[in-house]
């Protein structure tokens, strides 16, 4: 059993900041990738940022320079620092994890989602 606990969403004004966190727990052999996808009203889910076990990061063009993803491997936790938030950043943010429970398998898990609303 693997559980993702996601937190940090909320309501902020344009230009404000939020920090999301996602902690994975359970029967985990290793975590390859952690990150966030988001889904705005009426739109499909899109990648926001990911980070690999080796520290490589990937960001959507729309958030580059504003968002920073990091991870604490010892805690199986990822963080998404979101600065200079814009109304178009509004949506439900879902933590995403690719992990192994054994050396041979691989699974994908999603967090419960947290609402981020950027509005004046």
């Amino acid at each position: 059993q693997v559980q993702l606990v996601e937190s940090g969403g909320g309501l902020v004004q344009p230009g404000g900041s939020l920090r999301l966190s996602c902690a994975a727990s359970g029967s985990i052999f290793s975590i390859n990738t952690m990150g966030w996808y988001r889904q705005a009203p009426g739109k499909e889910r899109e990648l926001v940022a990911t980070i690999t076990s080796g520290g490589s990061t990937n960001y959507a063009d729309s958030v580059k320079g504003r968002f920073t993803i990091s991870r604490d491997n010892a805690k199986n936790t990822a963080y998404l620092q979101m600065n200079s938030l814009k109304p178009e950043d509004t949506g439900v943010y879902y933590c995403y994890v690719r992990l192994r429970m054994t050396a041979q398998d691989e699974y994908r898990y999603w967090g419960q989602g947290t609402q981020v609303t950027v509005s004046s």
Side-chain angles (χ1 to χ4, degrees), residues 37-47 62 86-94 115:
Y37 286 66
R38 68 187 180 189
Q39 189 164 21
K43 296 184 178 181
E44 295 187 358
R45 191 173 299 185
E46 64 176 354
L47 181 144
S62 60
K86 304 175 181 180
E88 49 263 46
D89 295 317
T90 293
V92 179
Y93 284 65
Y94 297 92
Q115 177 70 43

Side-chain angles (χ1 to χ4, degrees), residues 3-96:
Q3 184 176 9
L4 303 181
V5 179
E6 185 177 359
S7 63
L11 172 64
V12 296
Q13 295 183 344
S17 298
L18 287 172
R19 191 179 79 150
L20 306 183
S21 65
C22 179
S25 62
S27 183
I28 300 172
F29 176 78
S30 64
I31 295 179
N32 177 259
T33 302
M34 299 188 74
W36 274 266
Y37 286 66
R38 68 187 180 189
Q39 189 164 21
K43 296 184 178 181
E44 295 187 358
R45 191 173 299 185
E46 64 176 354
L47 181 144
V48 178
T50 60
I51 184 167
T52 70
S53 60
S56 297
T57 58
N58 184 41
Y59 297 93
D61 288 341
S62 60
V63 308
K64 287 181 179 178
R66 300 186 298 118
F67 291 10
T68 301
I69 189 168
S70 61
R71 66 188 289 175
D72 184 337
N73 291 330
K75 297 180 179 179
N76 288 334
T77 300
Y79 305 92
L80 184 66
Q81 180 66 43
M82 305 186 294
N83 298 326
S84 302
L85 284 162
K86 304 175 181 180
E88 49 263 46
D89 295 317
T90 293
V92 179
Y93 284 65
Y94 297 92
C95 179
Y96 169 80

